[in-house]
Amino acid sequence: MARLTINGKANEVNVDPNTPLLWAIREQVGLTGTKYGCGIAMCGACTVHIDGKAVRSCVMPVSAAVGKQVTTIEGLAAGGALHKVQKAWVEYEVPQCGYCQAGIIMAVAALLKDKPKPTDADIDASITNICRCGTFQQVREAIHAAAKA
Ligand code: FES
Ligand code: FES
């Protein structure tokens, strides 16, 4: 058993402490916006925030999230208002199939918190998520738009 705070709510999860956080989020808590892609920290589909920092939850044990604030895509919109990254995603029609997008949005939200006006080089260095639909150009444009919002 472990107690996890996810999107501001306490949850008891009945898993081994070494279980990847992704599976506790999806299968125990039922928040399925966070996706499984590779399972080896390469694609970013599983990105969530822990204490505001982007992490790849497929390789993060549940034990590492105990006592911390976990935020998933479901918790990014505060008080019913979309986050500025989500707004830019809608405006720029970024998603294609959508599978990778929750992870990218979470990675971008963390980037903008650290670097409110990221350069293309900053984006290349920190947004390493993989999109099999190839939305990279739209992602870049939407990040710059969100940075201006
Ligand atoms: S599923 Fe976690 S990085 Fe790909
Ligand atoms: S939108 Fe399809 S994988 Fe990225």
Side-chain angles (χ1 to χ4, degrees), residues 59-79:
V59 292
M60 169 82 45
V62 163
S63 56
V66 172
K68 310 217 165 126
Q69 295 290 331
V70 179
T71 307
T72 69
I73 188 71
E74 290 89 346
L76 191 62

Side-chain angles (χ1 to χ4, degrees), residues 99-122:
Y99 195 85
C100 69
Q101 298 288 329
I104 299 183
I105 288 170
M106 295 307 283
V108 171
L111 168 65
L112 292 184
K113 210 160 147 220
D114 274 356
K115 292 197 172 158
K117 304 278 179 216
T119 63
D120 280 342
D122 293 331

Side-chain angles (χ1 to χ4, degrees), residues 12-69:
E12 296 286 346
V13 294
N14 189 13
V15 293
D16 183 280
N18 291 322
T19 302
L21 177 62
L22 173 63
W23 301 120
I25 290 170
R26 287 183 57 87
E27 296 189 350
Q28 297 269 314
V29 184
L31 295 172
T32 54
T34 307
K35 303 300 190 209
Y36 171 75
C38 65
I40 53 169
M42 294 298 292
C43 76
C46 63
T47 303
V48 299
H49 295 175
I50 294 189
D51 287 347
K53 301 273 180 216
V55 301
R56 295 189 170 181
S57 63
C58 67
V59 292
M60 169 82 45
V62 163
S63 56
V66 172
K68 310 217 165 126
Q69 295 290 331

